[in-house]
Amino acid sequence: VVADGFAMGFGEYVSGNAEMDHAAVERSREEWEVENSKDLEIEEMVEIYTNRGLTEEDARTVVNIIAKDNKMFVDFMMVNELGILVEDDDKNLPLKQGAVMFASFIILDGQGLDGVFVASCLMTAVALMTLGAIKGFLTGMNIPRAALLMLLNGCVSGGVSFVISSIVEGMVN
């Protein structure tokens, strides 16, 4: 149980760090582009917003207002151009995510739900969603989304484990 918890917690930590590193590299690139070719970046954002349905005049107005502040403009491009949410306030976010994942395995994996199958599934779903909600709360994520993602992760992991164990059992028997 502890080994599972450590492996999953460490994996979550590494993943979170990789996401932050990727965001930092992209932020540096966008900052350079704003410093060296702001007009091109403005045109790129205007094009993005006209493709989303704004008139060119409205898109240009929105982009020009936001482009007055370089940091805000870079944040704006990170989200709207690259799809990267700006989470640079909490440098300990990967550590928190890893700790939540580790704790969840220690607490929930040790439960041993050996009761009725349907009741076990329901209890596991509630536990996963609760864990996801706690993770969302501690990391600043959208809580319902975090809960559903944790449930989806659990369902996929359980399904894959079941299929693999069934194949191995069939090969052994």
Side-chain angles (χ1 to χ4, degrees):
V1 173
V2 174
D4 283 347
F6 179 78
M8 293 303 291
F10 186 70
E12 184 71 22
Y13 170 75
V14 169
S15 173
N17 268 337
E19 286 178 25
M20 286 183 74
D21 290 346
H22 173 68
V25 167
E26 291 298 325
R27 172 175 280 292
S28 293
R29 185 178 58 79
E30 290 296 338
E31 287 170 347
W32 184 89
E33 289 175 354
V34 166
E35 289 297 318
N36 294 290
S37 57
K38 191 171 190 174
D39 291 343
L40 293 174
E41 291 300 299
I42 288 172
E43 291 305 315
E44 190 175 345
M45 292 307 300
V46 167
E47 182 180 340
I48 287 171
Y49 276 99
T50 55
N51 288 340
R52 291 183 181 175
L54 287 179
T55 65
E56 184 174 343
E57 180 183 349
D58 288 346
R60 196 166 297 286
T61 299
V62 169
V63 172
N64 283 330
I65 290 170
I66 292 171
K68 289 178 182 179
D69 180 315
N70 283 351
K71 182 187 180 316
M72 186 183 298
F73 189 46
V74 169
D75 289 346
F76 182 71
M77 290 187 304
M78 293 283 291
V79 172
N80 292 289
E81 179 185 347
L82 303 174
I84 299 173
L85 295 177
V86 181
E87 293 279 345
D88 58 355
D89 294 342
D90 189 359
K91 301 296 182 199
N92 293 318
L93 185 61
L95 184 61
K96 289 177 185 177
Q97 290 172 326
V100 168
M101 185 64 71
F102 174 75
S104 71
F105 266 79
I106 297 301
I107 294 167
L108 299 175
D109 203 26
Q111 295 284 327
L113 300 174
D114 292 330
V116 180
F117 179 73
V118 174
S120 294
C121 289
L122 290 174
M123 290 175 66
T124 301
V126 169
L128 286 169
M129 290 184 73
T130 301
L131 174 65
I134 292 169
K135 176 184 175 184
F137 175 76
L138 292 176
T139 61
M141 293 174 61
N142 177 293
I143 292 174
R145 184 172 187 270
L148 290 174
L149 284 174
M150 187 64 73
L151 177 61
L152 177 63
N153 183 19
C155 290
V156 170
S157 298
V160 168
S161 297
F162 177 77
V163 168
I164 291 172
S165 66
S166 296
I167 291 170
V168 171
E169 183 181 32
M171 290 170 41
V172 170
N173 292 335

